[in-house]
Amino acid sequence: MVRFEHVSKVYPDGTKAVEDLNLHIARGEFVCLIGPSGCGKTTTLKMINRLHEATSGKIYVDGRDIATVSPVELRRNIGYVIQQVGLFPHMTIAQNIELVPRLLGWDRERRRKRVDELLEMVGLDPATYRDRYPRELSGGQQQRVGVLRALAAEPDLILMDEPFGALDPITRETLQDELKRLQARLRKTVVFVTHDMDEALKLADRIVVMKDGRIHQVASPEELLRNP
Ligand code: ADP
Ligand code: ADP
């Protein structure tokens, strides 16, 4: 689903953020990128949806060289969730979730059904929450909606950058459990950035440990637990 071939990223100020990255992520796989702050995780993630451009090397998404696909077209099929959800405060929960489906031209009825189905999936009663505004929700509920927004148009690929990093430990654990259940059901390809090894061990099919802009180790959670 995602393939990096000899990818490097040097920022305009000369910072080498990623060096000669080679990685293949299979369809339906949940991969965690982990490593200390500054090791290049976010840069790697943002190159996949062209929020950053690779300086050299090639990245393929679904078999296509992303340099040949416009960022707008590319992002139609890629959900993106970050730590600061960034729900639009003047839009209701439903309007936030149906943002991409609306751009894609889904009709009102189809959008409405999708919003309700998504809210139900994470235990938020649609009748209660559909027409509320983000400020009326707790931080954990807002982050749930952020995840739903990324799922709304059924993208094949979801990128997550420390999506639960700002939540209290109990809410974080609840959302990790929910994400695991969602993943068991939807089998999306997910690339998930975290610096929390417990989170990676819990969620990932495969863990990519990064260090100084390079891949240090790739292993399954079982392998890492046996051989840390
Ligand atoms: P991580 O997500 O693992 O914390 P990043 O990918 O954010 O790492 O950063 C990797 C390196 O690139 C760091 O040294 C960081 O300071 C640097 N960096 C990140 N973004 C930029 C940028 N826009 N311009 C210059 N340097 C950057
Ligand atoms: P590109 O889109 O080409 O990957 P960006 O637009 O992200 O690069 O970077 C633009 C500029 O933002 C960089 O040249 C850098 O000066 C600045 N910048 C953004 N984040 C950081 C950071 N974490 N450290 C240093 N500079 C940064």
Side-chain angles (χ1 to χ4, degrees):
M1 187 70 201
V2 183
R3 186 186 294 276
F4 287 85
E5 285 182 359
H6 302 291
V7 172
S8 296
K9 171 68 180 176
V10 183
Y11 283 104
D13 66 358
T15 306
K16 286 184 181 166
V18 171
E19 282 190 81
D20 195 28
L21 191 94
N22 294 286
L23 181 65
H24 178 218
I25 297 168
R27 185 174 284 275
E29 200 177 17
F30 195 122
V31 167
C32 281
L33 304 180
I34 193 165
S37 179
C39 72
K41 305 181 294 293
T42 294
T43 301
T44 300
L45 196 75
K46 285 182 169 178
M47 286 192 288
I48 300 172
N49 61 3
R50 294 189 63 183
L51 285 172
H52 285 318
E53 301 290 345
T55 310
S56 60
K58 292 231 181 268
I59 301 170
Y60 299 87
V61 170
D62 210 8
R64 289 202 294 175
D65 177 352
I66 62 169
T68 69
V69 183
S70 79
V72 173
E73 196 196 332
L74 180 69
R75 288 171 203 160
R76 275 194 191 136
N77 200 25
I78 303 181
Y80 186 50
V81 190
I82 55 172
Q83 189 168 312
Q84 289 78 22
V85 228
L87 296 181
F88 291 102
H90 58 286
M91 291 184 187
T92 65
I93 297 311
Q95 288 166 342
N96 269 283
I97 294 173
E98 66 184 15
L99 219 54
V100 179
R102 186 186 284 275
L103 284 173
L104 295 176
W106 292 22
D107 65 42
R108 186 192 293 251
E109 185 51 34
R110 185 170 173 211
R111 296 200 307 262
R112 167 91 166 201
K113 273 175 71 179
R114 182 66 177 151
V115 166
D116 288 1
E117 170 189 67
L118 286 163
L119 287 170
E120 272 163 12
M121 253 179 347
V122 297
L124 292 172
D125 175 41
T128 308
Y129 287 98
R130 204 192 283 127
D131 299 320
R132 290 205 180 169
Y133 286 87
R135 65 172 178 278
E136 300 173 283
L137 271 59
S138 71
Q141 289 172 332
Q142 289 185 36
Q143 201 60 18
R144 279 189 183 90
V145 173
V147 173
L148 298 184
R149 185 173 61 180
L151 292 171
E154 306 190 307
D156 288 328
L157 175 62
I158 315 219
L159 309 180
M160 300 188 143
D161 196 345
E162 306 233 16
F164 309 140
L167 302 174
D168 65 84
I170 294 173
T171 308
R172 183 185 315 164
E173 205 161 301
T174 309
L175 264 69
Q176 287 168 349
D177 291 339
E178 273 175 17
L179 180 61
K180 219 176 145 71
R181 276 202 302 276
L182 276 178
Q183 174 62 4
R185 177 166 155 199
L186 303 175
R187 293 313 303 176
K188 299 284 180 188
T189 311
V190 183
V191 189
F192 189 107
V193 165
T194 180
H195 59 249
D196 176 355
M197 186 51 101
D198 288 335
E199 184 167 68
L201 289 170
K202 181 166 174 179
L203 294 174
D205 297 319
R206 211 149 52 103
I207 297 175
V208 175
V209 185
M210 294 185 68
K211 197 174 164 186
D212 299 333
R214 290 172 180 276
I215 292 179
H216 178 63
Q217 187 183 8
V218 181
S220 67
E222 296 72 26
E223 285 164 339
L224 277 181
L225 282 171
R226 239 184 290 126
N227 213 347

